[in-house]
Amino acid sequence: MKKIVFLLLGCIALQGYSQPRQLSDRATISVITCAPWQGELYSAFGHSAFRVYDPALGLDDAYNYGIFDFDQPNFYLNFARGYMYYQLGAYSYERFKLPYIYHNRYIHEQELNLTPAQKQKVFDYLEWNTLPENEHYRYDYFYDNCATKMPGVLIKALGDSIAFDDKHITTHYSIRELTDLYLHQQPWGDLGIDVCLGSEIDREAPPFDYMFLPEYVEQGLDHATIKHGNRWAPLVKKKNIVFAPRDEDPVKGLPHPLYVFSALALVAIILSVVDLKRKKLSTWWDVLLFGAAGLIGVLLFVLWFATDHKSSYNYNLLWALPFHIIAVIAFIRQPRWLTTYFLVTAILLVVTLVSWPVLPQKLNTSLIPVVIALAVRAFTQYRVRKAKA
């Protein structure tokens, strides 16, 4: 979504209006759902937008809540701190479609079954939202993104006249499990999300919250109703397949992290066997291994305490201890307390492995070899140091 929007920034014209335009009886308002694309992590979940079409006004625009500006002040700092701001842009629907067709992503259109008055309310809200003072919003990965804006705008514009029926949701997924459904072809991206985001996203998601994903927005609208006078009618009047994708080969990427980390664990085990036999430590290896784990721990600690991301305790801190950085620095002087430190670390890592299936947070299984490697090396550090004491 983001790269596509970036490529379009040069041709987007944001529109502000001094007074609302009146839609004709021929106007239609639709929700557009675009397929996931595995070419990039940010596009793996799909995209949603509104379309407003009125031939009488010569209007055919997409209202896209997925726009952001790389040039906004402190862009990367704000992104890291959870202060990312997106904006609504209104521009030609034909231009909106082009990148999705180019990347062979399906485009579905759901024309909404609205009365003329209801169409005007939705249109007026969208127009108001494009004004410079209203166009920006605080982005949230799961609770306020381009997909959640679809039901959110309809509820704000139509109030109690719209009702969502979630009986079609029969699963009991967490937010993390829902994201996992879309990342089978991007195991490294899935790993990054699983490491950085804590146990907050492991709670069971209410059915309405499934609509942080565009495909579930499409399903939700299919099962929603709209009030026309004293009767309720289906919200979706008709569906159009704007673009059907061609068959193509799956995207090829890097080796799966499970294979990479399994090789790392094997090296750690072999080095440990050699070190225990010769009673000498391969400290260079432990500097790399515990140094990397410690840096990850520092990152997780910062994300937890020093940013505004919605996250509770991150159980990856059980293996990625920030204190590993101190231990690595201590290799320079080799203080005696390192013996105790590595004993405690080895015990903690073994407990983490044993309790892996029952932890409140679902840890990525590709990390199991990493934890094994850390545990084996911590035990080796302890035994060799103990033997020399």
Side-chain angles (χ1 to χ4, degrees):
M1 287 187 292
K2 299 174 186 175
K3 181 178 284 186
I4 290 170
V5 169
F6 176 69
L7 294 173
L8 283 171
L9 284 177
C11 63
I12 290 174
L14 296 177
Q15 302 177 38
Y17 301 94
S18 58
Q19 58 184 8
R21 290 178 289 179
Q22 190 68 34
L23 294 176
S24 74
D25 292 339
R26 299 167 62 191
T28 61
I29 295 181
S30 307
V31 171
I32 306 299
T33 302
C34 303
W37 180 55
Q38 298 301 323
E40 301 286 353
L41 177 61
Y42 51 74
S43 61
F45 304 101
H47 189 47
S48 300
F50 283 104
R51 178 193 182 187
V52 179
Y53 173 68
D54 190 343
L57 293 180
L59 176 65
D60 191 5
D61 282 353
Y63 288 76
N64 182 2
Y65 280 92
I67 294 176
F68 65 89
D69 183 3
F70 279 110
D71 295 326
Q72 63 181 266
N74 303 315
F75 174 83
Y76 292 104
L77 177 61
N78 287 339
F79 180 80
R81 295 177 62 205
Y83 286 107
M84 189 67 177
Y85 281 89
Y86 275 47
Q87 66 188 84
L88 169 64
Y91 57 97
S92 166
Y93 174 62
E94 290 301 317
R95 288 176 177 172
F96 171 84
K97 291 191 303 183
L98 289 177
Y100 299 97
I101 294 174
Y102 175 81
H103 288 293
N104 195 34
R105 301 169 65 177
Y106 72 65
I107 302 174
H108 296 170
E109 179 180 15
Q110 293 167 291
E111 181 182 332
L112 301 182
N113 184 19
L114 305 178
T115 65
Q118 290 168 339
K119 292 175 189 177
Q120 192 65 46
K121 285 182 179 180
V122 175
F123 180 59
D124 288 348
Y125 183 90
L126 292 171
E127 291 282 81
W128 170 84
N129 218 169
T130 61
L131 297 176
E133 63 268 28
N134 303 322
E135 64 185 0
H136 292 91
Y137 70 98
R138 179 83 169 273
Y139 180 85
D140 186 282
Y141 305 129
F142 307 114
Y143 304 107
D144 199 2
N145 62 25
C146 63
T148 64
K149 287 295 185 184
M150 302 300 106
V153 166
L154 294 175
I155 291 171
K156 287 179 179 179
L158 302 175
D160 294 337
S161 296
I162 186 171
F164 289 88
D165 184 354
D166 56 23
K167 291 185 176 63
H168 65 287
I169 301 293
T170 58
T171 55
H172 300 278
Y173 290 131
S174 66
I175 295 290
R176 191 185 305 276
E177 289 168 334
L178 286 167
T179 61
D180 288 345
L181 296 176
Y182 291 80
L183 295 174
H184 290 303
Q185 295 184 47
Q186 299 204 45
W188 287 98
D190 186 33
L191 175 64
I193 291 174
D194 284 346
V195 169
C196 290
L197 299 183
S199 55
E200 165 69 18
I201 66 170
D202 286 281
R203 65 175 180 82
E204 183 178 325
F208 189 85
D209 285 1
Y210 279 48
M211 286 193 285
F212 80 91
L213 294 163
E215 288 185 322
Y216 282 100
V217 170
E218 185 175 3
Q219 292 181 27
L221 296 179
D222 280 339
H223 291 83
T225 53
I226 185 74
K227 193 172 185 180
H228 293 166
N230 294 322
R231 66 181 182 86
W232 290 87
L235 177 61
V236 175
K237 184 176 183 179
K238 64 178 180 179
K239 294 183 68 171
N240 300 317
I241 306 299
V242 178
F243 176 74
R246 308 172 299 276
D247 291 335
E248 57 182 23
D249 295 330
V251 177
K252 295 182 180 179
L254 297 171
H256 197 284
L258 181 62
Y259 304 146
V260 174
F261 294 152
S262 295
L264 179 146
L266 181 60
V267 171
I269 291 171
I270 292 174
L271 281 176
S272 296
V273 171
V274 173
D275 287 355
L276 289 170
K277 285 184 177 179
R278 65 178 184 169
K279 294 182 173 58
K280 186 177 180 181
L281 292 167
S282 300
T283 304
W284 62 272
W285 174 260
D286 293 327
V287 168
L288 296 175
L289 184 63
F290 286 95
L295 288 174
I296 293 172
V298 171
L299 171 63
L300 299 184
F301 189 82
V302 170
L303 288 175
W304 185 17
F305 285 103
T307 73
D308 208 43
H309 293 292
K310 293 178 181 177
S311 180
S312 54
Y313 183 77
N314 192 326
Y315 284 78
N316 284 292
L317 286 166
L318 291 172
W319 62 268
L321 290 171
F323 303 115
H324 291 333
I325 294 294
I326 299 174
V328 167
I329 295 173
F331 281 148
I332 298 173
R333 295 186 176 274
Q334 299 294 338
R336 292 184 178 180
W337 59 261
L338 280 175
T339 303
T340 303
Y341 178 83
F342 282 111
L343 173 61
V344 173
T345 298
I347 294 172
L348 177 61
L349 291 168
V350 171
V351 171
T352 300
L353 286 169
V354 171
S355 59
W356 198 280
V358 296
L359 289 173
Q361 178 177 335
K362 181 181 177 182
L363 302 184
N364 194 294
T365 54
S366 295
L367 293 171
I368 292 177
V370 174
V371 181
I372 291 174
L374 289 166
V376 168
R377 289 307 302 171
F379 176 75
T380 302
Q381 282 277 348
Y382 165 71
R383 284 297 300 270
V384 173
R385 290 175 183 279
K386 187 70 173 176
K388 290 182 177 181

